[in-house]
Amino acid sequence: MPTNFLHTPIDYLNGVGPARAKLLKAELGISTYGDLANLFPNRYIDKTKYYKINELVPDSAHVQIVGKVTHLKTMGDGRSSRLVATFIDSTGSMELVWFKGQKYFKDNLKLNVPYVIYGKVSKYGSKYNIAHPDVELLKEHRSRQQSAMTPIYPSTEQLTKRNVTNKMMVRMMQQLFSEVHSSFTETLSEQIRSQHQLVDKNTAMYNAHFPKSAALLQQSIYRLKFEELFFIQMELLLQNRIRKTRIKGYAFEKVGERFNDFYSNHLPFELTGAQKRVVKEIRADMGTGAHMNRLLQGDVGSGKTIVAVLTCLLAIDNGFQACIMAPTEILAQQHYQGVSELLEKTGLKVSLLTGSVKTKARRVIHSDLEDGTLNILIGTHALIEDKVVFKNLGVAIVDEQHRFGVAQRAKLWKKNHLPPHVLVMTATPIPRTLAMSLYGDLDISVIDELPPGRKEIKTVHRYDKNRLAVFSFLKEEITKGRQIYLVYPLIEESETLDYKDLMDGYESVVREFPTPQYQVSIVHGRMKPEDKDYEMERFVKGETQIMVATTVIEVGVNVPNASVMVIESAERFGLSQLHQLRGRVGRGADQSFCILMTSYKLSAEAKTRIETMVATTDGFEIAEVDLKLRGPGDMMGTRQSGVLALRVADIVKDNDILAVARETAKELLQKDATLVLPENTSIKKVLQFLQSKKGLWKYIS
Ligand code: ADP
Ligand code: MG
């Protein structure tokens, strides 16, 4: 059989035909035999296992249960309209819910007759439920022949609508594999396979679809996951190497007088071990003559600013200028104040450039920049405008990168003959697992240690009905001279409603905290920027004690005297957002508090989020939980990278395999950097193919 057999158009497969071929292509991107073979099951149902309702746990994933429907009722209206069935077995009761197809199920479900249901369990309040379960009469279920391990293939709404069922997919696969035999080309080397005891490609493919045994299934899936992760790691390592060798940057060869003088005489505190390590990493990176493009991660309050300042000094010592960009005017101002203070005794010149700097002052900045008298420019994106010309920009530091677009960053690169080094600082922790697969380990620095003597923020969960007690607590804190944030959710879909909540909340706060004793600020997205800044300013200066706001205060604002953060409807915020918000307090010497207000009804997931927040203040721990809850799709930075295209492996659950694959890739490149050894030919071919950006599962040779 020719090896290109897998290139055969899918129409040729017995039982497919042109119409279905078109559908498969449109819905699942399947146009050849090979594409079909590489459509892996999402999961396998072990149809030998039945659960009892009292065995369910909040994340029991997919379960099969035998029981009866005792009641059916329609609830809610409009978008929240749903059909709810009470489903019982001998051990308890739960709910089945349909949002779609309500009429069908209402007309067809039989009461008090045994059914087998199958679906994903979730818990709402104290009750378990399954939304849109598969339902089948027990009688019919018994009459069907069940193999122990049924593969369940990915499907889409259209496929279901056009009656391409899982059963049919299984049949197509059977047909395909009866023709395919051993057509799959091995992608891994003999060495790697034997080193890690991986089954060969053909065995893996066959058993992934038609497991001969649970053990073979497990080995096959392991091999496919390893293969997938291994090639991603190979690509990353190769890309990083290319970047390191090809893109030239300014070599900051020396650590000079400015740096040393500041370090020995003007540091306001001893650096933490993590800060020292990170400064070393940056120094080494900027000294090589290659371009630095480094991400600096550090939780709020971990002390990124001082690292930025030391980085600037390295540039200045080598005859260059530096700039620091922040996403908002307020943040830029705060950076300016902070940096100016730190550098006060050094004689270095620091200026602030934002949209509100007047023309005359701007002219001075422009000329100082061009003749080199200005050492450090701090500002908003105003400083990447074309008009702003540096004499010799050596490093650009970008704070809270996710507010900057790609185009803006590209402008930065053009600010000098060679691209200036770039250090991006972010307080949004990317879990190590994800960072490793996104960037390789080459260009990330992490400050994973807080400065000593920080008081941990006390976080508590309170229900809406405890509001009076919360208010009186706030009054006590205000009496002690503290300031308070009160944050409301504002989510785009229901913006108008949220806005009303915010205004209602504001009014009740003003009622509870009347003038002249109390002053309340309010900031939200519908205000003009000037008004926002004005209100923010009042709070920063301590003229108001309470700041009622939407999440606009999320990023970077520093008011050390604000020590209480109250988050309303906390169940509606994501974990990373909650963490960012909480980071607004705990910046001064006083004990800080974060109060998460919710209603009684919490989904299991919301509960996990709140519990996580109460249990820990470690941003990385929180990010890991977040990743588990939401998957990598919503995490920052994942959109452009390959991890979302993973077909077999799961970036979170297969962390261990990832680590092994990564080590293997590293070892291989150490031994055979250009893949010239004959044993690595198959790997080299795959990598060459991957340059076409078509993805591993399109590789057929
Ligand atoms: P972030 O990482 O959130 O930008 P900052 O750089 O603003 O954190 O630092 C937060 C606070 O901690 C600042 O007041 C800073 O002066 C202080 N700080 C930073 N590093 C140290 C340290 N090593 N020892 C003591 N205080 C520090
Ligand atoms: Mg900061």
Side-chain angles (χ1 to χ4, degrees):
M1 191 169 294
T3 47
N4 64 4
F5 173 74
L6 289 167
H7 290 302
T8 314
I10 197 71
D11 324 32
Y12 289 77
L13 190 71
N14 229 332
V16 174
R20 194 162 290 157
K22 215 170 140 196
L23 193 60
L24 287 172
K25 168 128 187 51
E27 295 298 308
L28 297 170
I30 293 173
S31 39
T32 63
Y33 281 22
D35 293 341
L36 183 62
N38 281 314
L39 179 77
F40 296 103
N42 278 340
R43 54 180 202 275
Y44 305 81
I45 305 179
D46 184 354
K47 288 278 180 157
T48 53
K49 169 81 185 157
Y50 296 89
Y51 283 81
K52 293 283 180 205
I53 291 173
N54 71 356
E55 290 173 332
L56 299 178
V57 288
D59 53 357
S60 331
H62 286 81
V63 297
Q64 181 171 250
I65 309 170
V66 182
K68 296 172 184 175
V69 174
T70 56
H71 293 284
L72 268 177
K73 58 177 184 251
T74 306
M75 295 174 73
D77 38 38
R79 269 202 299 172
S80 69
S81 149
R82 60 203 184 271
L83 179 69
V84 178
T86 307
F87 186 77
I88 65 161
D89 69 4
S90 57
T91 69
S93 101
M94 62 183 295
E95 287 179 346
L96 311 180
V97 184
W98 287 269
F99 294 93
K100 289 184 201 150
Q102 293 184 33
K103 181 164 166 26
Y104 174 84
F105 288 101
K106 202 168 175 180
D107 295 346
N108 288 286
L109 275 182
K110 300 189 172 93
L111 296 186
N112 299 311
V113 173
Y115 274 101
V116 180
I117 60 153
Y118 177 82
K120 185 163 169 25
V121 177
S122 44
K123 193 172 188 188
Y124 202 78
S126 64
K127 257 223 166 9
Y128 285 100
N129 75 56
I130 297 182
H132 293 201
D134 298 340
V135 289
E136 188 175 24
L137 285 167
L138 180 63
K139 212 168 55 191
E140 286 171 15
H141 180 81
R142 291 252 159 89
S143 72
R144 274 199 301 124
Q145 176 134 21
Q146 301 287 341
S147 70
M149 218 81 78
T150 311
I152 303 293
Y153 289 99
S155 185
T156 66
E157 207 179 319
Q158 278 302 317
L159 286 171
T160 316
K161 227 168 154 180
R162 309 266 297 265
N163 274 321
V164 181
T165 58
N166 191 62
K167 234 182 275 176
M168 197 173 292
M169 293 298 291
V170 172
R171 223 178 295 134
M172 277 192 281
M173 259 337 154
Q174 276 164 343
Q175 180 62 35
L176 177 74
F177 274 78
S178 72
E179 295 179 32
V180 164
H181 304 295
S182 308
S183 302
F184 300 96
T185 313
E186 183 54 71
T187 57
L188 298 170
S189 65
E190 200 52 54
Q191 278 72 10
I192 288 178
R193 273 183 39 222
S194 71
Q195 186 189 349
H196 298 288
Q197 297 172 339
L198 303 172
V199 296
D200 66 84
K201 179 86 177 183
N202 280 293
T203 305
M205 290 301 289
Y206 193 87
N207 282 280
H209 294 286
F210 307 105
K212 286 204 180 107
S213 68
L216 259 175
L217 173 62
Q218 195 257 329
Q219 288 167 27
S220 301
I221 296 298
Y222 184 92
R223 184 235 134 92
L224 294 171
K225 285 178 174 175
F226 180 95
E227 181 181 354
E228 187 166 47
L229 295 168
F230 171 78
F231 281 107
I232 288 182
Q233 292 304 318
M234 284 295 286
E235 278 194 287
L236 274 172
L237 293 173
L238 289 169
Q239 272 167 20
N240 270 326
R241 202 173 60 191
I242 290 169
R243 199 157 57 69
K244 288 273 156 203
T245 49
R246 292 220 189 119
I247 302 180
K248 292 231 175 330
Y250 296 110
F252 294 175
E253 274 150 9
K254 60 178 185 209
V255 177
E257 204 182 308
R258 307 280 197 187
F259 185 97
N260 287 331
D261 170 55
F262 180 78
Y263 203 93
S264 341
N265 305 321
H266 305 301
L267 265 188
F269 37 69
E270 162 113 27
L271 293 189
T272 62
Q275 285 169 323
K276 283 185 195 159
R277 171 170 42 76
V278 164
V279 171
K280 248 190 220 151
E281 285 165 1
I282 292 170
R283 213 168 80 188
D285 206 1
M286 295 194 305
T288 59
H291 177 246
M292 176 177 85
N293 191 11
R294 181 171 286 272
L295 181 68
L296 172 59
Q297 292 192 56
D299 223 332
V300 278
S302 61
K304 294 184 289 295
T305 313
I306 194 77
V307 173
V309 166
L310 289 166
T311 305
C312 292
L313 292 175
L314 283 168
I316 296 165
D317 271 340
N318 285 274
F320 291 87
Q321 292 162 303
C323 70
I324 302 178
M325 280 201 293
T328 66
E329 179 119 13
I330 292 173
L331 277 177
Q333 260 166 32
Q334 289 194 339
H335 270 306
Y336 174 70
Q337 274 159 17
V339 173
S340 305
E341 243 165 65
L342 282 168
L343 296 179
E344 204 181 347
K345 303 213 177 76
T346 62
L348 290 171
K349 186 154 183 168
V350 185
S351 293
L352 175 68
L353 180 66
T354 65
S356 63
V357 171
K358 298 279 179 307
T359 318
K360 208 168 136 204
R362 198 178 279 254
R363 258 189 230 128
V364 176
I365 291 176
H366 284 183
S367 81
D368 285 356
L369 258 191
E370 280 183 66
D371 67 23
T373 38
L374 185 56
N375 302 105
I376 301 177
L377 181 62
I378 297 177
T380 53
H381 49 263
L383 62 76
I384 51 172
E385 280 167 19
D386 295 330
K387 296 179 292 218
V388 182
V389 180
F390 292 81
K391 177 165 186 242
N392 196 9
L393 181 64
V395 64
I397 298 167
V398 181
D399 199 8
E400 307 290 356
Q401 64 151 17
H402 50 294
R403 305 283 160 129
F404 281 100
V406 176
Q408 289 171 313
R409 254 175 280 161
K411 271 192 166 174
L412 239 187
W413 278 47
K414 302 218 176 84
K415 289 281 174 200
N416 207 342
H417 306 294
L418 290 177
H421 296 299
V422 177
L423 181 69
V424 172
M425 306 196 292
T426 175
T428 311
I430 302 173
R432 286 174 188 80
T433 38
L434 196 56
M436 198 161 87
S437 46
L438 284 176
Y439 304 96
D441 59 1
L442 290 172
D443 291 354
I444 291 196
S445 290
V446 182
I447 306 184
D448 49 7
E449 181 186 352
L450 289 181
R454 282 286 159 77
K455 285 208 183 92
E456 183 135 317
I457 301 166
K458 282 196 183 136
T459 303
V460 295
H461 175 199
R462 293 285 180 267
Y463 294 105
D464 290 336
K465 70 153 209 193
N466 306 126
R467 186 171 304 277
L468 282 182
V470 170
F471 278 161
S472 69
F473 172 75
L474 299 185
K475 282 182 183 157
E476 281 167 32
E477 289 298 302
I478 293 173
T479 309
K480 289 187 204 154
R482 307 289 113 77
Q483 287 168 284
I484 286 153
Y485 292 108
L486 237 150
V487 176
Y488 284 80
L490 206 137
I491 294 165
E492 275 162 37
E493 304 116 55
S494 55
E495 201 186 310
T496 309
L497 255 182
D498 283 341
Y499 183 70
K500 188 174 174 303
D501 280 355
L502 171 75
M503 291 327 261
D504 288 352
Y506 174 67
E507 271 160 32
S508 73
V509 170
V510 171
R511 230 176 297 129
E512 190 67 30
F513 297 87
T515 49
Q517 196 185 352
Y518 301 102
Q519 302 292 329
V520 183
S521 283
I522 179 164
V523 168
H524 58 78
R526 291 193 180 184
M527 288 164 70
K528 289 203 201 99
E530 308 89 88
D531 298 343
K532 245 194 278 189
D533 285 352
Y534 173 77
E535 284 290 314
M536 208 54 229
E537 224 21 64
R538 292 211 307 149
F539 188 68
V540 172
K541 286 190 193 136
E543 291 169 12
T544 62
Q545 296 94 32
I546 302 180
M547 161 65 73
V548 175
T550 54
T551 47
V552 288
I553 57 154
E554 199 180 325
V555 172
V557 182
N558 191 16
V559 184
N561 192 47
S563 61
V564 185
M565 166 68 62
V566 182
I567 304 178
E568 295 284 346
S569 304
E571 69 270 30
R572 292 181 52 196
F573 290 90
L575 257 179
S576 72
Q577 224 179 357
L578 288 172
H579 180 63
Q580 289 295 317
L581 284 170
R582 180 168 60 184
R584 297 304 109 218
V585 298
R587 303 186 149 230
D590 313 305
Q591 175 62 54
S592 291
F593 301 90
C594 174
I595 304 173
L596 305 170
M597 306 288 298
T598 74
S599 63
Y600 272 109
K601 266 210 153 178
L602 290 180
S603 70
E605 212 189 290
K607 216 166 175 183
T608 307
R609 290 198 298 265
I610 304 284
E611 281 166 3
T612 305
M613 286 297 293
V614 172
T616 180
T617 51
D618 179 335
F620 282 99
E621 219 175 286
I622 289 170
E624 295 280 355
V625 176
D626 199 26
L627 183 59
K628 283 191 184 122
L629 288 178
R630 296 193 302 160
D634 293 320
M635 303 290 301
M636 181 182 108
T638 55
R639 261 166 232 289
Q640 307 88 322
S641 78
V643 291
L644 282 188
L646 286 179
R647 217 179 252 203
V648 199
D650 177 316
I651 209 71
V652 183
K653 296 189 191 120
D654 298 321
N655 197 8
D656 299 350
I657 309 178
L658 174 67
V660 178
R662 177 170 185 72
E663 271 319 299
T664 311
K666 267 188 179 166
E667 274 169 31
L668 178 70
L669 286 175
Q670 261 158 27
K671 245 181 20 202
D672 185 13
T674 50
L675 302 176
V676 287
L677 295 180
E679 66 187 58
N680 294 325
T681 310
S682 56
I683 292 172
K684 188 169 187 169
K685 270 168 110 180
V686 176
L687 287 167
Q688 276 163 352
F689 173 82
L690 288 178
Q691 296 190 340
S692 70
K693 295 281 167 223
K694 284 203 189 111
L696 178 65
W697 306 110
K698 290 269 176 194
Y699 176 73
I700 286 155
S701 86

